Amino acid sequence: MQARHSSVHPAISALLAVSLVANFALFGNTADYAPSIRPVLVGGLLIFNCVLAWFGGARGLRSAEPVGQLPAVAGCLLIAPFVLFALLLGIGPPHEQPPSENDLRFLLLAINSILVGAGLIVLREALVPGGERLYSTLGLACAVLATPLYFLFCVIQRNDYVAEQLGWSWTASVSGHLRELTPLDALSITALFFAGVLTYLATAAFARSLSKAGWLGRGATWAFLLLSGLGLFFLIARGLAYPSMQAAMSHWYTVPGFVAGIPAVPWMMPAAIGVLMLRRCGPERPQA
């Protein structure tokens, strides 16, 4: 009997992963692109990433069997947030942008939180035929709880910036570059903290589930578990309060907790799982 292996070249998967990280870096780095250049860059990045995803395994969406389609759908949903970051190329940190830019930022983050949650839900369904239910169910529970918390954070922050843009009197006041927290802001920061905790736990649970199902090697499993554990540790050590970037960067020991709590950072490992799922469901070739 012949074994079958994915024909997706490892270099394509690696290039897709690097491209997704580059999108995130370009999204988080403030840059003033010329109006004539920016649409070209955004369109080029979107097309480039979509092509990489297609040849990296998204072609599995055409599979006639749900067993082949589900990993492809999960992979596409999990990497989608980092593809969409190209839409806000060069937006940079919130304190460096006007309210109109931050309005778009938190709208995109709200959409991305839904995509990540949906991707993890589909991933659980993809794992069911393999017989692994315990860890995938735990991961599903964490994902289902984290998604509305992320969405709550993003919606509250977006509403604050929209109100500030319109000049409404109830908006959080501005003092220099730091916004004073309203009760709703404080609620959103708490929601973000627990959303991050749950996402790290979900990643660890799904990594264990993928290992049990034989979809993830021992080394990769331990890497996901270690990174999830570190992210969780740094986030809990930081606590509920979300410091400003200036305060976080003032001491080396406050940097890891700040980074671990950035809304999109906990999504990076699910995106890596998404790349692996796409590679798994790529066209297969027989091997003797």
Side-chain angles (χ1 to χ4, degrees):
M1 187 171 179
Q2 289 182 323
R4 295 180 65 84
H5 299 270
S6 171
S7 64
V8 175
H9 197 282
I12 297 178
S13 299
L15 184 58
L16 174 60
V18 170
S19 182
L20 296 176
V21 173
N23 274 4
F24 181 49
L26 291 171
F27 165 77
N29 182 55
T30 305
D32 187 16
Y33 297 100
S36 59
I37 298 297
R38 191 175 185 282
V40 176
L41 292 175
V42 170
L45 283 172
L46 289 174
I47 293 172
F48 180 67
N49 282 278
C50 288
V51 170
L52 281 178
W54 181 256
F55 288 102
R59 287 175 289 179
L61 292 170
R62 299 186 303 180
S63 173
E65 299 294 332
V67 174
Q69 287 179 332
L70 285 173
V73 173
C76 288
L77 288 171
L78 291 173
I79 70 169
F82 290 86
V83 174
L84 294 179
F85 281 140
L87 294 172
L88 295 182
L89 187 69
I91 191 172
H95 68 273
E96 296 181 359
Q97 299 300 329
S100 59
E101 294 288 339
N102 285 318
D103 170 19
L104 296 175
R105 174 202 308 277
F106 288 105
L107 176 60
L108 180 63
L109 287 175
I111 293 170
N112 285 347
S113 69
I114 296 173
L115 292 172
V116 173
L120 292 176
I121 291 171
V122 176
L123 178 59
R124 195 267 176 178
E125 291 301 309
L127 284 162
V128 168
E132 204 299 304
R133 294 181 179 272
L134 174 60
Y135 292 102
S136 61
T137 300
L138 292 173
L140 173 65
C142 291
V144 168
L145 291 171
T147 300
L149 292 175
Y150 272 124
F151 191 80
L152 177 65
F153 164 77
C154 295
V155 168
I156 291 175
Q157 292 298 313
R158 180 175 182 268
N159 286 347
D160 276 354
Y161 282 110
V162 169
E164 186 178 329
Q165 183 181 359
L166 297 176
W168 293 352
S169 59
W170 58 264
T171 187
S173 60
V174 177
S175 175
H177 290 300
L178 301 178
R179 289 155 41 84
E180 297 176 5
L181 288 180
T182 65
L184 275 179
D185 283 323
L187 172 64
S188 73
I189 295 300
T190 302
L192 178 62
F193 171 82
F194 283 106
V197 167
L198 288 166
T199 302
Y200 286 123
L201 290 174
T203 303
F206 274 113
R208 188 72 178 120
S209 177
L210 289 166
S211 176
K212 286 281 189 178
W215 290 11
L216 201 61
R218 179 176 297 181
T221 301
W222 278 108
F224 277 112
L225 292 175
L226 177 61
L227 291 173
S228 299
L230 286 174
L232 184 62
F233 171 78
F234 290 138
L235 188 57
I236 293 175
R238 188 206 73 192
L240 290 173
Y242 194 91
S244 66
M245 181 177 291
Q246 182 179 3
M249 298 300 171
S250 60
H251 304 287
W252 67 267
Y253 52 83
T254 59
V255 174
F258 176 79
V259 173
I262 293 173
V265 168
W267 300 339
M268 296 183 76
M269 284 183 287
I273 290 176
V275 172
L276 294 175
M277 288 301 96
L278 289 178
R279 173 166 166 71
R280 175 176 178 80
C281 62
E284 297 182 329
R285 57 181 170 80
Q287 181 175 328

